[in-house]
Amino acid sequence: MTVREFYRALCCIVPRELGCDWDKDGMAVCPDPDREVKKVLVALDATAAVVDKAIAEGYDLVFSHHPMLWSGLKAVLADDCDGAKVIKLCKSGVAAMSFHTRIDAAQGGVNDILASLVGLENAEVAGEECIMRVGNLPVPVSAAEFATRVKQALGAPVVLCSDAGREVRRVAVVGGSGKDEIGVAMAAGADTFLTGELKYSQLSEPAGINLLVAGHFYTEQPICARLCELVAEIAPDVQTDIEISCKVTVV
């Protein structure tokens, strides 16, 4: 299967139409669309380290969740981080693609996985962009107890909890940045909102809803296993490996 065929097959399973209009995902670099895909390196982010590993170890494709060229390039320069990655990929013939908000919204995607990991039942789609999931805990708990459960389930080093004094029964989740989604969570009847990032001003006044922040990386990293499954669905003989792209630690 060529790079071109590989991308088209994936788009049949998770089409671009599922994503947000402002998103920059899809094929970012494709120096040789007819290159045969034998090895795929999956990562949350197509960082310089991930690109270097893919080239050094003979991968044909970098498949990330976050778009590699988020802001767009006005010039391709070797002394610019994004430009350097593009140059390296093109020289080596390695392609790079991402599925971002489309896999956030897709069934079995980022937020379905997140809802399942933290123990929600009967999770439903919420919001106009169909990214948020809202589900129920089988047994209500305090906000602090739920935060501990989230920390353990995601392997997060820390979870911020802004306790509005409400028992946790109905929870909304958005992996990654949920700073614009608090109102959506409240409209969906949630008493608690779990996400990866919020502003300090939002956490300081929870406005009637418990707010939990578990980190952008930790709320989205589980999708990498699903990206590997997607590869296996369309090309069972292709080798896939996951590279941890985040090197941030808590000390």
Side-chain angles (χ1 to χ4, degrees), residues 37-62:
V37 179
K38 297 179 180 179
K39 293 179 64 178
V40 174
L41 186 59
V42 171
L44 193 66
D45 306 278
T47 62
V50 168
V51 168
D52 288 345
K53 178 183 175 71
I55 294 169
E57 298 185 13
Y59 289 89
D60 305 293
L61 174 70
V62 175

mmCIF file of all heavy atoms in Angstrom, residues 37-62:
data_model
loop_
_atom_site.group_PDB
_atom_site.id
_atom_site.type_symbol
_atom_site.label_atom_id
_atom_site.label_comp_id
_atom_site.label_asym_id
_atom_site.label_seq_id
_atom_site.Cartn_x
_atom_site.Cartn_y
_atom_site.Cartn_z
ATOM 1 N N VAL A 37 4.258 1.756 2.192
ATOM 2 C CA VAL A 37 4.224 1.905 3.644
ATOM 3 C C VAL A 37 4.433 0.542 4.300
ATOM 4 O O VAL A 37 3.598 -0.355 4.186
ATOM 5 C CB VAL A 37 2.887 2.514 4.111
ATOM 6 C CG1 VAL A 37 2.872 2.631 5.639
ATOM 7 C CG2 VAL A 37 2.669 3.875 3.482
ATOM 8 N N LYS A 38 5.571 0.397 4.974
ATOM 9 C CA LYS A 38 5.891 -0.842 5.677
ATOM 10 C C LYS A 38 5.995 -0.628 7.191
ATOM 11 O O LYS A 38 5.705 -1.519 7.971
ATOM 12 C CB LYS A 38 7.202 -1.423 5.159
ATOM 13 C CG LYS A 38 7.173 -1.838 3.691
ATOM 14 C CD LYS A 38 8.519 -2.375 3.256
ATOM 15 C CE LYS A 38 8.505 -2.784 1.794
ATOM 16 N NZ LYS A 38 9.843 -3.290 1.348
ATOM 17 N N LYS A 39 6.448 0.576 7.579
ATOM 18 C CA LYS A 39 6.629 0.890 8.996
ATOM 19 C C LYS A 39 6.043 2.266 9.292
ATOM 20 O O LYS A 39 6.330 3.232 8.579
ATOM 21 C CB LYS A 39 8.109 0.884 9.380
ATOM 22 C CG LYS A 39 8.785 -0.471 9.323
ATOM 23 C CD LYS A 39 10.264 -0.359 9.706
ATOM 24 C CE LYS A 39 10.459 0.080 11.138
ATOM 25 N NZ LYS A 39 11.899 0.133 11.521
ATOM 26 N N VAL A 40 5.235 2.349 10.350
ATOM 27 C CA VAL A 40 4.593 3.607 10.735
ATOM 28 C C VAL A 40 4.940 3.911 12.191
ATOM 29 O O VAL A 40 4.782 3.055 13.070
ATOM 30 C CB VAL A 40 3.064 3.531 10.581
ATOM 31 C CG1 VAL A 40 2.398 4.795 11.126
ATOM 32 C CG2 VAL A 40 2.687 3.318 9.121
ATOM 33 N N LEU A 41 5.404 5.131 12.449
ATOM 34 C CA LEU A 41 5.694 5.571 13.805
ATOM 35 C C LEU A 41 4.548 6.459 14.281
ATOM 36 O O LEU A 41 4.269 7.500 13.692
ATOM 37 C CB LEU A 41 7.011 6.344 13.859
ATOM 38 C CG LEU A 41 7.509 6.737 15.253
ATOM 39 C CD1 LEU A 41 7.720 5.502 16.125
ATOM 40 C CD2 LEU A 41 8.790 7.561 15.168
ATOM 41 N N VAL A 42 3.884 6.028 15.331
ATOM 42 C CA VAL A 42 2.731 6.742 15.881
ATOM 43 C C VAL A 42 3.171 7.555 17.094
ATOM 44 O O VAL A 42 3.941 7.076 17.932
ATOM 45 C CB VAL A 42 1.632 5.743 16.291
ATOM 46 C CG1 VAL A 42 0.518 6.440 17.073
ATOM 47 C CG2 VAL A 42 1.057 5.049 15.060
ATOM 48 N N ALA A 43 2.679 8.793 17.190
ATOM 49 C CA ALA A 43 3.019 9.650 18.331
ATOM 50 C C ALA A 43 1.916 10.676 18.530
ATOM 51 O O ALA A 43 1.160 10.982 17.606
ATOM 52 C CB ALA A 43 4.354 10.355 18.101
ATOM 53 N N LEU A 44 1.833 11.199 19.737
ATOM 54 C CA LEU A 44 0.877 12.270 19.983
ATOM 55 C C LEU A 44 1.287 13.527 19.219
ATOM 56 O O LEU A 44 0.453 14.217 18.649
ATOM 57 C CB LEU A 44 0.797 12.569 21.484
ATOM 58 C CG LEU A 44 -0.376 13.438 21.932
ATOM 59 C CD1 LEU A 44 -1.702 12.727 21.720
ATOM 60 C CD2 LEU A 44 -0.226 13.845 23.393
ATOM 61 N N ASP A 45 2.596 13.788 19.173
ATOM 62 C CA ASP A 45 3.130 14.975 18.506
ATOM 63 C C ASP A 45 4.264 14.581 17.581
ATOM 64 O O ASP A 45 5.116 13.757 17.942
ATOM 65 C CB ASP A 45 3.676 15.972 19.530
ATOM 66 C CG ASP A 45 2.655 16.317 20.593
ATOM 67 O OD1 ASP A 45 1.800 17.172 20.324
ATOM 68 O OD2 ASP A 45 2.706 15.711 21.683
ATOM 69 N N ALA A 46 4.325 15.195 16.411
ATOM 70 C CA ALA A 46 5.436 14.974 15.486
ATOM 71 C C ALA A 46 6.560 15.944 15.837
ATOM 72 O O ALA A 46 6.860 16.892 15.106
ATOM 73 C CB ALA A 46 4.983 15.163 14.046
ATOM 74 N N THR A 47 7.198 15.709 16.981
ATOM 75 C CA THR A 47 8.287 16.566 17.440
ATOM 76 C C THR A 47 9.547 16.295 16.619
ATOM 77 O O THR A 47 9.629 15.326 15.867
ATOM 78 C CB THR A 47 8.584 16.295 18.916
ATOM 79 O OG1 THR A 47 8.997 14.923 19.052
ATOM 80 C CG2 THR A 47 7.361 16.552 19.789
ATOM 81 N N ALA A 48 10.555 17.141 16.822
ATOM 82 C CA ALA A 48 11.830 16.944 16.139
ATOM 83 C C ALA A 48 12.426 15.588 16.504
ATOM 84 O O ALA A 48 13.000 14.896 15.638
ATOM 85 C CB ALA A 48 12.796 18.070 16.501
ATOM 86 N N ALA A 49 12.293 15.181 17.766
ATOM 87 C CA ALA A 49 12.825 13.890 18.205
ATOM 88 C C ALA A 49 12.104 12.736 17.525
ATOM 89 O O ALA A 49 12.719 11.730 17.161
ATOM 90 C CB ALA A 49 12.719 13.768 19.727
ATOM 91 N N VAL A 50 10.783 12.856 17.379
ATOM 92 C CA VAL A 50 10.002 11.811 16.709
ATOM 93 C C VAL A 50 10.404 11.717 15.237
ATOM 94 O O VAL A 50 10.590 10.617 14.693
ATOM 95 C CB VAL A 50 8.489 12.089 16.852
ATOM 96 C CG1 VAL A 50 7.672 11.195 15.927
ATOM 97 C CG2 VAL A 50 8.052 11.899 18.309
ATOM 98 N N VAL A 51 10.554 12.861 14.589
ATOM 99 C CA VAL A 51 10.970 12.881 13.179
ATOM 100 C C VAL A 51 12.351 12.246 13.019
ATOM 101 O O VAL A 51 12.578 11.421 12.126
ATOM 102 C CB VAL A 51 10.956 14.324 12.635
ATOM 103 C CG1 VAL A 51 11.666 14.395 11.277
ATOM 104 C CG2 VAL A 51 9.519 14.824 12.498
ATOM 105 N N ASP A 52 13.280 12.599 13.903
ATOM 106 C CA ASP A 52 14.627 12.032 13.832
ATOM 107 C C ASP A 52 14.607 10.517 14.011
ATOM 108 O O ASP A 52 15.327 9.787 13.315
ATOM 109 C CB ASP A 52 15.528 12.670 14.896
ATOM 110 C CG ASP A 52 15.902 14.106 14.568
ATOM 111 O OD1 ASP A 52 15.711 14.520 13.403
ATOM 112 O OD2 ASP A 52 16.362 14.818 15.479
ATOM 113 N N LYS A 53 13.798 10.038 14.934
ATOM 114 C CA LYS A 53 13.692 8.595 15.166
ATOM 115 C C LYS A 53 13.127 7.904 13.930
ATOM 116 O O LYS A 53 13.622 6.840 13.514
ATOM 117 C CB LYS A 53 12.789 8.315 16.369
ATOM 118 C CG LYS A 53 12.569 6.825 16.659
ATOM 119 C CD LYS A 53 11.611 6.628 17.826
ATOM 120 C CE LYS A 53 11.283 5.163 18.050
ATOM 121 N NZ LYS A 53 12.417 4.398 18.600
ATOM 122 N N ALA A 54 12.079 8.483 13.346
ATOM 123 C CA ALA A 54 11.460 7.880 12.166
ATOM 124 C C ALA A 54 12.468 7.739 11.027
ATOM 125 O O ALA A 54 12.526 6.714 10.350
ATOM 126 C CB ALA A 54 10.267 8.718 11.717
ATOM 127 N N ILE A 55 13.271 8.772 10.816
ATOM 128 C CA ILE A 55 14.262 8.746 9.745
ATOM 129 C C ILE A 55 15.378 7.748 10.052
ATOM 130 O O ILE A 55 15.761 6.937 9.209
ATOM 131 C CB ILE A 55 14.833 10.156 9.520
ATOM 132 C CG1 ILE A 55 13.732 11.095 8.986
ATOM 133 C CG2 ILE A 55 16.023 10.119 8.566
ATOM 134 C CD1 ILE A 55 14.129 12.560 8.982
ATOM 135 N N ALA A 56 15.878 7.796 11.285
ATOM 136 C CA ALA A 56 17.014 6.956 11.660
ATOM 137 C C ALA A 56 16.672 5.469 11.641
ATOM 138 O O ALA A 56 17.531 4.629 11.340
ATOM 139 C CB ALA A 56 17.530 7.355 13.041
ATOM 140 N N GLU A 57 15.421 5.145 11.958
ATOM 141 C CA GLU A 57 15.045 3.737 12.098
ATOM 142 C C GLU A 57 14.213 3.212 10.931
ATOM 143 O O GLU A 57 13.622 2.142 11.014
ATOM 144 C CB GLU A 57 14.316 3.541 13.430
ATOM 145 C CG GLU A 57 15.201 3.889 14.630
ATOM 146 C CD GLU A 57 14.544 3.595 15.963
ATOM 147 O OE1 GLU A 57 13.506 2.893 15.990
ATOM 148 O OE2 GLU A 57 15.083 4.069 16.987
ATOM 149 N N GLY A 58 14.177 3.963 9.848
ATOM 150 C CA GLY A 58 13.608 3.449 8.617
ATOM 151 C C GLY A 58 12.094 3.380 8.550
ATOM 152 O O GLY A 58 11.544 2.521 7.852
ATOM 153 N N TYR A 59 11.411 4.294 9.229
ATOM 154 C CA TYR A 59 9.950 4.357 9.110
ATOM 155 C C TYR A 59 9.576 5.085 7.817
ATOM 156 O O TYR A 59 10.303 5.964 7.349
ATOM 157 C CB TYR A 59 9.346 5.079 10.315
ATOM 158 C CG TYR A 59 9.425 4.272 11.591
ATOM 159 C CD1 TYR A 59 10.532 4.366 12.427
ATOM 160 C CD2 TYR A 59 8.401 3.410 11.957
ATOM 161 C CE1 TYR A 59 10.617 3.625 13.600
ATOM 162 C CE2 TYR A 59 8.468 2.666 13.126
ATOM 163 C CZ TYR A 59 9.585 2.774 13.932
ATOM 164 O OH TYR A 59 9.665 2.032 15.083
ATOM 165 N N ASP A 60 8.444 4.718 7.279
ATOM 166 C CA ASP A 60 7.973 5.343 6.050
ATOM 167 C C ASP A 60 7.040 6.510 6.317
ATOM 168 O O ASP A 60 6.820 7.351 5.437
ATOM 169 C CB ASP A 60 7.226 4.303 5.195
ATOM 170 C CG ASP A 60 8.081 3.085 4.940
ATOM 171 O OD1 ASP A 60 9.087 3.211 4.233
ATOM 172 O OD2 ASP A 60 7.742 2.000 5.463
ATOM 173 N N LEU A 61 6.501 6.565 7.540
ATOM 174 C CA LEU A 61 5.436 7.521 7.825
ATOM 175 C C LEU A 61 5.393 7.836 9.310
ATOM 176 O O LEU A 61 5.522 6.936 10.149
ATOM 177 C CB LEU A 61 4.096 6.919 7.385
ATOM 178 C CG LEU A 61 2.811 7.661 7.707
ATOM 179 C CD1 LEU A 61 2.714 8.932 6.879
ATOM 180 C CD2 LEU A 61 1.607 6.767 7.421
ATOM 181 N N VAL A 62 5.197 9.111 9.633
ATOM 182 C CA VAL A 62 4.901 9.549 10.996
ATOM 183 C C VAL A 62 3.407 9.859 11.059
ATOM 184 O O VAL A 62 2.906 10.685 10.292
ATOM 185 C CB VAL A 62 5.710 10.800 11.383
ATOM 186 C CG1 VAL A 62 5.277 11.309 12.762
ATOM 187 C CG2 VAL A 62 7.205 10.503 11.374
#
